[in-house]
């Protein structure tokens, strides 16, 4: 190997995680350029998914790349070309790469290899054992360099990424029957979170959510049987945070081992904090309906692959054709601008953009200055000549159709009224700021559950929301579940009872035990009052409140401890946004 040690790529800060991923991969490929020589890119299936998130195939081929090959397939050899391997750091991919540089079978005298040389780029941290195997293998003389890219994350949006480690992470993390899967998924998720941290070149402090009455692991049954077992949620966030801290320590030890630079955190100039939470921190947020555009689309519209909307469109020949549109900030700038708007104002925003185009049209302005009044046909013709209108026309049609469909479904399911009731359950406060008693909520809940017009999914969500509000599936709650068989299947009933796995108590004794912690620091009954006319929710999700408390230096150190041994007094004060000489309260 030309490089006997691994190296890390040089990154620069980027606002968009998608652009950062794209830049890192393109940078890796282009770093091997020597003159105008052609090269081959070799990937495995997991790394191909990562590359495809940020790059079109054409973008790769434009880097003097002859072909992109899958390492698990029989591939054409290019013995005169270098190969750029972009692989996940696993034994199977490493061994397949080594096999590419072995003599032909049955012909040891034939030293021709599949490629001239290998430039190795791994999507994450390469284990020492695999690195040693590479260094001692027959492929070692052909390896020009080994680089860890740290790109094992899915940039779902420019500032949103996924580290989902498996197809059923919720089950593996919370089920008492999936302890082995939980360990695996936590390890994989922490590896992917390390990738994000390394790619952003930050050196964060780590803290985590520790519930007041946690268990070391889930130990209650999810079979739906009545049980008095402990309902306190396991320390999932703590287990994840501890893993992440260990991986960060290893990463920094390697990053600074060959330099005179010290770990930036030891110099107390780090300005980043990672807060590890798990779903038990807020059981209301995933159950209440949101009336913002993006939230409604994902909630009530059937999207293919999570982001693809298929609609019917009338072609110029009069035929109706099915058109697929991707709701992504990469391909739809209008979606990016409108997605956080209230659904009721999306149509008006679209109309305002068209009106602004009309007012900015030079042709229309000239006509108006001459005192001429344009007909609708003439105005359409003038608009058709505007480049922005041509771009906007198809997008306007898409979002007009999508917003209209959301409003129609919302009206049919009477979601505005349902949202108001959900907010009253969560906040125990009406829209006019008055306290709403439990008896009143129960009476209205029963009436809603008996309403045949209520959508089944809304009925289940409403019932689960009330169980969370009432502090769990007690014996009385389960009796109520039996009274609405038309609403719930046996699996739905088990799901309601399994709320205990997330710390929702299942009997009165456990309910009283958990009440003090449920009200501490991020209490659900503390919320921001807002004018309903502004379409703003009253309930503030726990995540938002936790972030603001972190920024203000108010986040409770008992519920959200730090992973490092450093005492809170030694943590840089600008992280906590306080000026006191001591952080003790």
């Amino acid at each position: 190997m030309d490089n006997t040690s691994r190296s890390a790529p040089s990154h620069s800060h980027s606002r968009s995680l998608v652009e950062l991923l794209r830049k890192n991969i393109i940078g890796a490929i282009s770093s091997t350029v020597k003159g105008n020589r052609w090269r081959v890119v070799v990937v495995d299936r997991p790394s191909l998914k990562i590359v495809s998130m940020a790059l079109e195939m054409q973008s790769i081929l434009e880097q003097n790349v002859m072909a992109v090959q899958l390492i698990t397939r029989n591939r054409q050899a290019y013995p005169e070309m270098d190969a750029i391997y972009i692989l996940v750091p696993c034994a199977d991919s490493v061994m397949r790469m080594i096999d590419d540089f072995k003599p032909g079978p049955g012909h040891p005298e034939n030293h021709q290899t599949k490629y001239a040389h290998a430039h190795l780029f791994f999507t994450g941290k390469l284990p020492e054992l695999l690195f040693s195997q590479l260094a001692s293998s027959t492929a070692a003389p052909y390896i020009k360099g080994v680089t860890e890219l740290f790109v094992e994350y899915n940039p779902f949006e420019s500032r949103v990424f996924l580290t989902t480690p498996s197809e059923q992470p919720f089950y593996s993390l919370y089920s008492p029957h999936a302890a082995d899967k939980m360990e695996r998924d936590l390890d994989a998720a922490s590896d992917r979170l390390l990738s994000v941290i390394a790619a952003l070149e930050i050196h964060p402090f780590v803290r985590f959510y520790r519930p007041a009455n946690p268990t070391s692991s889930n130990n209650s049954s999810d079979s739906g049987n009545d049980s008095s077992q402990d309902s306190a949620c396991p320390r999932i966030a703590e287990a994840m945070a501890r893993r992440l801290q260990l991986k960060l320590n290893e990463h920094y030890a390697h990053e600074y081992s060959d330099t005179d630079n010290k770990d930036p955190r030891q110099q107390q100039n780090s300005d980043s904090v990672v807060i590890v939470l798990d779903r038990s921190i807020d059981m209301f947020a995933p159950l209440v309906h949101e009336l913002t555009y993006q939230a409604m689309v994902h909630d009530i519209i059937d999207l293919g692959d999570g982001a693809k909307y298929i609609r019917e469109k009338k072609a110029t020949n009069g035929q109706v054709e099915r058109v697929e549109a991707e709701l992504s900030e990469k391909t739809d700038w209008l979606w990016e601008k409108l997605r956080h708007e209230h659904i009721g104002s999306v149509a008006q925003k679209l109309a305002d953009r068209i009106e602004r185009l009309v007012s900015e049209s030079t042709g229309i302005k000239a006509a108006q200055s001459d005192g001429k009044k344009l007909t609708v046909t003439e105005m359409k013709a003038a608009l058709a000549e505007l480049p922005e209108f041509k771009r906007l026309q198809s997008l306007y049609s898409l979002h007009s159709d999508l917003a209209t469909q959301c409003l129609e479904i919302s009206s049919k399911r009477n979601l505005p009224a349902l949202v108001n009731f959900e907010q009253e359950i969560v906040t125990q406060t009406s829209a006019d700021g008055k306290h709403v008693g439990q008896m009143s909520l129960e009476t209205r809940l029963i009436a809603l559950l008996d309403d045949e017009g209520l959508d089944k999914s809304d009925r289940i969500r409403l019932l689960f929301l009330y169980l969370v509000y009432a502090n769990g599936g007690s014996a009385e709650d389960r009796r109520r579940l039996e009274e609405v068989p038309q609403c719930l299947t046996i699996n739905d009933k088990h799901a309601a009872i399994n709320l205990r796995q997330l710390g929702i108590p299942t009997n009165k004794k456990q309910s009283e035990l958990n009440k003090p912690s449920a009200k501490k620091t991020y209490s659900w009954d503390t919320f921001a009052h807002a004018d309903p006319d502004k379409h703003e929710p009253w309930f503030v999700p726990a995540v938002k409140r936790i972030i603001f408390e972190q920024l203000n230096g108010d986040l409770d150190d008992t519920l959200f401890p730090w992973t490092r041994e450093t005492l809170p007094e030694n943590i840089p004060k600008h992280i906590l946004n306080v000026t006191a000489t001591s952080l003790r309260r």
Side-chain angles (χ1 to χ4, degrees):
M1 299 169 70
D2 284 10
N3 292 350
T4 55
S5 62
R6 293 166 288 187
S7 62
S10 176
H11 305 305
S12 60
H13 293 285
S14 172
R15 289 182 60 197
S16 168
L17 287 170
V18 178
E19 286 303 313
L20 185 58
L21 180 61
R22 173 186 173 87
K23 186 175 182 180
N24 290 346
I25 295 174
I26 287 292
I29 297 173
S30 61
S31 67
T32 65
V33 173
K34 287 187 178 179
N36 292 321
R37 294 188 60 182
W38 289 90
R39 293 152 297 160
V40 178
V41 170
V42 182
V43 296
D44 52 29
R45 290 192 182 278
S47 67
L48 179 60
K49 287 184 179 179
I50 294 173
V51 171
S52 300
M53 291 173 200
L55 290 172
E56 299 289 340
M57 190 63 64
Q58 185 60 34
S59 300
I60 299 176
L61 298 178
E62 288 172 355
Q63 305 298 315
N64 275 29
V65 172
M66 172 66 72
V68 178
Q69 299 180 325
L70 196 60
I71 199 169
T72 52
R73 291 183 178 174
N74 291 326
R75 290 159 282 140
Q76 178 180 343
Y78 292 93
E80 74 287 353
M81 295 185 191
D82 284 5
I84 301 167
Y85 288 83
I86 302 177
L87 308 171
V88 294
C90 67
D92 181 66
S93 293
V94 168
M95 295 311 298
R96 288 179 185 274
M97 177 270 152
I98 292 173
D99 288 343
D100 288 346
F101 293 88
K102 285 182 178 179
H107 300 281
E109 71 286 352
N110 180 9
H111 295 293
Q112 189 178 57
T113 57
K114 194 175 287 287
Y115 310 107
H117 298 98
H119 304 267
L120 301 185
F121 295 93
F122 289 97
T123 58
K125 179 176 173 54
L126 181 66
E128 291 297 332
L129 178 61
L130 294 182
F131 180 72
S132 299
Q133 288 180 351
L134 280 172
S136 60
S137 69
T138 56
Y142 302 95
I143 297 176
K144 290 292 186 180
V146 179
T147 302
E148 294 164 333
L149 291 176
F150 293 104
V151 292
E152 289 185 328
Y153 60 91
N154 178 355
F156 190 71
E157 292 179 4
S158 59
R159 298 185 185 184
V160 178
F161 61 91
L162 305 179
T163 60
T164 308
S166 64
E167 291 184 359
Q168 294 181 314
F170 201 76
Y171 173 80
S172 67
L173 292 179
Y174 288 99
S175 171
H177 306 306
D180 56 332
K181 293 185 176 68
M182 181 182 76
E183 297 294 323
R184 180 200 64 196
D185 279 8
L186 284 175
D187 202 53
S190 58
D191 277 336
R192 295 174 187 182
L193 184 53
L194 174 63
S195 285
V196 177
I197 292 171
L200 291 173
E201 289 188 310
I202 58 176
H203 301 81
F205 291 91
V206 180
R207 62 193 309 186
F208 56 90
Y209 169 56
R210 176 188 282 165
N213 300 290
T215 57
S216 58
S217 63
N218 266 332
N219 57 10
S220 56
S221 171
D222 65 353
S223 64
N225 298 326
D226 191 10
S227 171
S228 61
Q229 293 173 326
D230 190 357
S231 69
C233 60
R235 292 178 172 177
I236 292 175
E238 180 172 1
M240 172 72 171
R242 300 290 185 197
R243 277 175 169 79
L244 176 63
Q245 187 65 69
L246 287 173
K247 293 178 188 295
L248 285 172
N249 293 345
E250 293 174 4
H251 175 66
Y252 296 139
H254 169 68
E255 185 175 354
Y256 298 101
S257 60
D258 299 326
T259 69
D260 295 331
N261 297 327
K262 294 182 179 180
D263 182 340
R265 298 170 310 161
Q266 295 175 357
Q267 301 173 14
Q268 296 195 357
N269 63 358
S270 173
D271 58 358
S272 304
V273 176
V274 170
I275 306 176
V276 182
L277 312 173
D278 73 278
R279 174 39 59 199
S280 66
I281 194 73
D282 185 353
M283 282 301 297
F284 289 135
L287 293 173
V288 296
H289 287 83
E290 270 281 351
L291 296 182
T292 51
Y293 186 31
Q294 184 180 36
M296 283 200 74
V297 167
H298 283 277
D299 193 359
I300 65 178
I301 302 294
D302 185 18
L303 300 178
D305 294 332
K308 292 180 179 176
Y309 174 57
I310 300 176
R311 65 191 181 104
E312 293 184 346
K313 180 182 177 183
K314 200 168 186 178
T316 53
N317 60 4
Q319 296 293 322
V320 176
E321 55 184 18
R322 290 168 62 86
V323 179
E324 182 180 284
E326 183 179 7
L327 301 175
S328 166
E329 61 184 21
K330 293 186 294 184
T331 58
D332 188 340
W333 58 271
L334 197 52
W335 168 254
E336 184 178 7
K337 288 184 177 296
L338 295 174
R339 60 188 174 185
H340 299 310
E341 297 285 346
H342 185 274
I343 187 64
S345 60
V346 170
Q348 185 59 48
K349 296 277 185 181
L350 290 169
D352 289 345
R353 292 193 71 87
I354 296 295
E355 187 176 334
R356 189 167 68 250
L357 283 177
V358 172
S359 65
E360 293 174 355
S361 169
T362 54
I364 295 175
K365 279 184 179 180
Q368 290 174 341
S369 64
D370 292 339
K372 180 182 178 182
K373 188 173 182 179
L374 295 179
T375 64
V376 173
T377 303
E378 290 172 331
M379 188 174 291
K380 283 184 177 180
L383 282 173
E385 297 302 317
L386 296 176
E388 187 178 351
F389 181 76
K390 292 178 180 178
R391 287 191 304 127
L392 185 62
Q393 194 171 22
S394 59
L395 292 179
Y396 177 87
S397 175
L398 164 66
H399 290 291
S400 178
D401 178 66
L402 195 54
T404 300
Q405 191 174 347
C406 284
L407 289 171
E408 288 176 351
I409 295 175
S410 175
S411 176
K412 182 179 179 181
R413 289 165 55 172
N414 198 18
L415 288 185
L418 187 60
V419 166
N420 286 338
F421 184 53
E422 289 172 346
Q423 293 292 327
E424 290 186 15
I425 291 177
V426 173
T427 65
Q428 300 169 47
T429 307
S430 64
D432 55 7
K434 296 179 181 179
H435 176 73
V436 181
Q438 184 167 341
M439 288 299 296
S440 172
L441 290 175
E442 288 185 354
T443 301
R444 292 165 62 193
L445 174 68
I446 293 172
L448 268 174
L449 293 178
D450 287 338
D451 183 1
E452 295 182 358
L454 187 65
D455 184 81
K456 180 183 177 181
S457 64
D458 292 335
R459 180 181 284 113
I460 294 172
R461 282 168 67 162
L462 191 60
L463 191 56
F464 283 14
L465 190 67
Y466 184 79
L467 289 178
V468 176
Y469 154 77
N471 237 340
S474 65
E476 178 63 20
D477 294 323
R478 287 192 291 279
R479 186 188 65 77
R480 289 194 185 106
L481 291 180
E482 296 294 337
E483 292 177 356
V484 283
Q486 76 282 5
C487 166
L488 300 178
T489 65
I490 188 66
N491 287 336
D492 293 332
K493 294 177 183 179
H494 287 174
I497 295 169
N498 279 336
L499 288 171
R500 72 179 69 163
Q501 308 297 351
L502 286 93
I504 304 300
T506 55
N507 61 47
K508 291 292 182 183
K509 182 179 179 181
Q510 293 163 2
S511 178
E512 291 300 320
L513 177 70
N514 276 19
K515 271 187 179 178
S517 65
K519 299 292 183 183
K520 192 170 183 180
T521 300
Y522 48 88
S523 56
W524 312 128
D525 57 351
T526 302
F527 59 94
H529 285 278
D531 183 353
D533 292 336
K534 295 181 180 178
H535 311 301
E536 295 176 358
W538 312 309
F539 166 64
V540 179
V543 170
K544 182 175 181 178
R545 297 197 51 194
I546 288 167
I547 291 173
F548 275 100
E549 288 175 9
Q550 169 65 41
L551 293 174
N552 293 329
D554 298 328
L555 195 59
D556 188 276
D557 291 331
T558 303
L559 286 171
F560 299 91
W562 306 80
T563 56
R564 300 193 76 202
E565 294 77 10
T566 309
L567 295 175
E569 285 82 356
N570 294 332
I571 293 174
K573 292 183 177 59
H574 63 274
I575 286 182
L576 298 176
N577 196 27
V578 295
T579 57
T581 55
S582 173
L583 301 184
R584 288 195 176 96
R585 296 168 176 80

